Amino acid sequence: MDALIAAAARALATGDILGALKRVALRDDGPALALRGIAMAQLGDLARSKALLKSAARAFGPKEAVARARCSVAEAEIAFVSRELSWPLATLAAARATLEQRGDRINAIHALHLEVRRMLLLGQLDEAEQRLGAPAPAPIPPALTAAHHMIVAGIAMRRLQAAPARAALAQAHQAARQAGIGALVAEVETASAILEAPAARLIAGGKERLLRIDDVETLLASDALIIDANRNLVRSTETIIALAARPVLFALVRTLAEAWPHDVTRETLLIRAFGARHADESHRARLRVEIGRLRAALRPLANIVATKRGFALKPRRKCEVIVLAPPVEERHANVLALLADGEAWSSSALAIALGASARTVQRALEELSASGKAQSFGRGRALRWITPPLPAFPTILLLPGPLPGG
Amino acid sequence: MKTMAAEILNEYGPYPGVDNVHGVTFDGNHVWFASGDRINAIDPDSGAAVRSLDAAAYAGTAFDGQHLYQIAENRIDKIDPATGRVLASIPGPAGGGESGLAWAEGTLWVGEYQGRKIHQVDPETGKILRTIESNRFVTGVTWVDGDLWHGTWQDDKGDVRHIDPSTGEVLEVLEMPAGIGVSGLESDGAGRFFCGGGSDGKLRAIRRPERVS
């Protein structure tokens, strides 16, 4: 490899994008095109970057397998950050195999990280953890070490395990600082801020307070009867009753739980569950029916008893009743709450879970997407929706680096 | 032309903080190699890292008996190996496309990678004295016992070849194993060549064949 390519590659690896471009901006050979492509991706111009990487792969020719594999990995990363998850995984796996075989460990590890991040995005936590494995033996560059720990933190956060998430982020922070890449340090800090921010709101005995992820973890491990308004389910230790597809029942149990140990009047229940302004006889009949259904659904965990004024929740065991709500309840909070479980949802699945029409859900998703609170990927029937705060990931594309002739 | 497999005598590294081995040179005791922001000295017998100099070091490295010469982007720096201070700089003959560097006969020999050329350059002024054409991408360059050798790395294949400096004719080729390229090249003046492995972060010693007369 020649001196300018080496210097540009090094500049890219340390986050100096403009320094890299300055050195190769006017060159059209394969290595220069690849470096320009990666620099453009880091500057956010993904379309230009894709075109440059494609011409770089062409310029390399069929014999330069390693250089072409690096271009494939870079293209896969661009597809990933633009959430085009239909990008062929087999191509990425083949590129990774080539890189491993030819001794380019660093880019092979980067390719592996991409595969794992995709699994994490799709909520495949166990597979992601298994695939990631232990950190690669040293020496690997600190930027890759940081990426590894960010993935570990992401898995732990998705599992609501605060302590391991925090430990992994601390290691990521140290590695990112060692790498000296400002953007990477900032991404780790953003992820830490997400981890320390209120994750939920606890409502019990007429009082409210914000909970951090640690508190949620402790709460879930306790024997309390938890009405989880993030995922629309009722849980107590091992037993989980999902009510995501039954919004009226969930609204009723939540209202009862917020008043516990006191009872709730029929009027209040009608207003909260049906949005009825005033209660007439037909509403009362419907309430009786829904309470009956709720009673049947909750049978393993709690009973609902009739009182003079209305109804009250009675847990089977002697335990506290707690409502766990999103930190802020806002417009389309129900959609956000479902997305917050970290799975990738189709809009039709959301519509079923919310008991709403496809059109209503679509409108809500469009609004949430416009305000950056929801993201979509895929096309047509494969279109899926997620909430962004996966802990931010280092979208630092690795240089295709030491190119042939290195 | 004689072609044979390179016999690898020793492998060194990878060393901590080194992702890439560019130029390689030998000062009689230590092997020096360029790794982007450093020039590192190692003991070729034990493989131990001895010391390093902070310097822009993106391609070939050479030693004239007293100073190190180092390709840094589009210039060649003359460096005091005792202090790491840059004493002088000359422009590179290929405007950034330089790859290998050797010292011989009072002049510098600079490999131009994509141009498949070797330039002989005046070390004081940077003036090109003459140019030899090769048919492969040229990486490292070295002179030993009056013979000119250079490394190549193209299409994921690397070799070390002996060429006739007046005609460019290839006399001998030592082929590296599949997937191993040659970035820098230097002879120890005796039976070994030291080859940089580029992105694998390693340095290799290979056997120099008996001289053909």
Side-chain angles (χ1 to χ4, degrees):
Chain A
M1 159 162 62
D2 63 50
L4 272 190
I5 292 289
R10 182 154 195 101
L12 261 192
T14 53
D16 177 10
I17 304 168
L18 296 178
L21 278 175
K22 185 181 82 186
R23 291 170 171 97
V24 293
L26 299 176
R27 288 178 48 168
D28 281 326
D29 50 291
L33 285 168
L35 285 168
R36 283 166 58 194
I38 285 162
M40 291 323 283
Q42 294 190 2
L43 290 174
D45 187 345
L46 298 183
R48 179 93 191 102
S49 166
K50 259 197 273 189
L52 282 164
L53 286 168
K54 277 204 176 16
S55 31
R58 270 198 303 276
F60 280 126
K63 283 186 186 162
E64 292 174 274
V66 174
R68 290 165 66 91
R70 290 180 187 134
C71 288
S72 288
V73 173
E75 278 188 70
E77 177 152 14
I78 290 167
F80 176 80
V81 297
S82 31
R83 297 291 184 260
E84 285 166 23
L85 298 196
S86 50
W87 200 85
L89 268 187
T91 312
L92 181 58
R96 188 173 53 75
T98 303
L99 294 170
E100 237 159 45
Q101 225 168 25
R102 303 300 185 91
D104 184 354
R105 285 167 60 239
I106 303 212
N107 282 305
I109 294 169
H110 188 58
L112 172 74
H113 284 173
L114 271 179
E115 285 178 50
V116 176
R117 284 161 61 188
R118 188 179 186 278
M119 289 172 174
L120 185 51
L121 184 73
L122 297 180
Q124 302 164 346
L125 301 183
D126 294 339
E127 293 92 326
E129 189 173 50
Q130 205 183 352
R131 194 81 190 76
L132 181 64
I140 63 170
L144 273 189
T145 309
H148 177 95
H149 291 303
M150 285 289 268
I151 295 172
V152 173
I155 294 172
M157 281 168 82
R158 287 298 184 97
R159 290 186 172 146
L160 295 175
Q161 295 167 342
R166 206 165 280 139
L169 284 176
Q171 282 178 296
H173 199 239
Q174 198 191 358
R177 275 215 303 248
Q178 208 184 332
I181 303 176
L184 189 53
V185 173
E187 298 209 48
V188 179
E189 282 168 358
T190 307
S192 300
I194 291 172
L195 179 62
E196 302 308 330
R201 199 158 41 99
L202 179 149
I203 308 169
K207 288 193 188 130
E208 290 190 10
R209 66 188 168 90
L210 289 171
L211 298 183
R212 292 199 318 175
I213 192 169
D214 312 66
D215 307 320
V216 176
E217 191 183 357
T218 313
L219 192 62
L220 293 182
S222 77
D223 67 349
L225 180 67
I226 298 163
I227 287 64
D228 183 348
N230 294 291
R231 306 165 197 225
N232 288 12
L233 50 83
V234 178
R235 62 188 294 166
S236 176
T237 60
E238 295 296 296
T239 313
I240 292 177
I241 297 164
L243 293 178
R246 306 175 82 177
V248 170
L249 298 194
F250 188 80
L252 287 172
V253 70
R254 178 174 172 174
T255 309
L256 290 168
E258 281 178 14
W260 182 86
H262 306 292
D263 63 350
V264 183
T265 63
R266 287 186 181 76
E267 286 68 29
T268 308
L269 286 170
L270 285 169
I271 291 163
R272 289 283 298 268
F274 307 135
R277 291 229 181 81
H278 53 85
D280 60 24
E281 198 43 46
S282 72
H283 280 126
R284 286 166 186 277
R286 186 164 165 215
L287 181 63
R288 272 196 302 279
V289 171
E290 297 291 358
I291 288 285
R293 286 178 180 153
L294 182 60
R295 202 175 268 141
L298 292 185
R299 189 152 291 138
L301 295 181
N303 188 18
I304 293 165
V305 295
T307 62
K308 212 160 161 192
R309 305 190 304 152
F311 296 94
L313 189 64
K314 293 272 180 238
R316 297 265 175 226
R317 288 179 299 106
K318 188 171 149 42
C319 66
E320 263 199 293
V321 175
I322 284 163
V323 174
L324 202 56
V328 182
E329 297 203 53
E330 54 183 322
R331 207 163 146 69
H332 308 306
N334 52 354
V335 176
L336 285 177
L338 288 176
L339 291 176
D341 72 355
E343 303 290 341
W345 289 74
S346 67
S347 64
S348 55
L350 287 170
I352 293 167
L354 294 168
S357 77
R359 187 68 205 116
T360 305
V361 170
Q362 201 58 46
R363 251 198 310 271
L365 287 170
E366 276 158 20
E367 242 177 75
L368 289 170
S369 163
S371 58
K373 288 174 184 151
Q375 277 186 0
S376 65
F377 58 82
R379 289 211 181 85
R381 290 165 66 92
L383 186 82
R384 294 291 180 275
W385 291 86
I386 53 168
T387 43
L390 267 184
F393 271 112
T395 48
I396 301 289
L397 288 149
L398 272 195
L399 55 159
L403 292 150
Chain B
M1 180 180 76
K2 215 163 86 182
T3 301
M4 57 192 126
E7 184 188 343
I8 295 179
L9 302 171
N10 219 334
E11 270 198 352
Y12 311 95
Y15 293 94
V18 174
D19 320 330
N20 237 303
V21 175
H22 304 299
V24 180
T25 195
F26 183 66
D27 67 4
N29 295 311
H30 298 138
V31 179
W32 293 81
F33 67 91
S35 64
D37 54 4
R38 283 193 340 228
I39 311 175
N40 312 269
I42 66 154
D43 175 351
D45 296 319
S46 66
V50 179
R51 50 189 287 246
S52 71
L53 305 174
D54 290 333
Y58 295 109
T61 315
F63 184 70
D64 69 356
Q66 202 178 352
H67 308 106
L68 290 169
Y69 288 87
Q70 177 60 54
I71 299 176
E73 308 201 27
N74 53 3
R75 60 173 204 276
I76 301 172
D77 292 336
K78 180 177 177 181
I79 298 171
D80 178 353
T83 62
R85 212 157 64 83
V86 175
L87 305 172
S89 293
I90 54 170
E98 297 81 7
S99 183
L101 189 64
W103 173 272
E105 324 289 323
T107 55
L108 286 171
W109 300 76
V110 186
E112 180 178 349
Y113 176 65
Q114 297 254 349
R116 301 174 170 88
K117 287 174 190 155
I118 298 171
H119 305 282
Q120 185 185 12
V121 170
D122 182 326
E124 298 299 322
T125 62
K127 186 172 171 255
I128 298 178
L129 303 174
R130 69 175 165 130
T131 296
I132 303 167
E133 306 266 344
S134 173
N135 59 354
R136 303 273 296 171
F137 287 171
V138 174
T139 55
V141 184
T142 192
W143 280 90
V144 54
D145 293 341
D147 293 342
L148 177 60
W149 292 75
H150 75 81
T152 76
W153 192 340
Q154 191 171 342
D155 298 343
D156 297 336
K157 276 192 277 203
D159 61 47
V160 173
R161 49 184 61 194
H162 176 193
I163 66 170
D164 182 327
S166 48
T167 60
E169 187 198 341
V170 181
L171 305 173
E172 289 174 86
V173 177
L174 309 177
E175 289 183 328
M176 296 300 270
I180 295 183
V182 177
S183 52
L185 178 70
E186 179 66 294
S187 80
D188 67 351
R192 286 181 295 185
F193 286 119
F194 297 108
C195 309
S199 50
D200 69 8
K202 289 185 186 168
L203 200 65
R204 293 179 180 83
I206 65 170
R207 187 184 301 286
R208 176 162 72 110
E210 298 289 316
R211 283 197 71 187
V212 281
S213 48

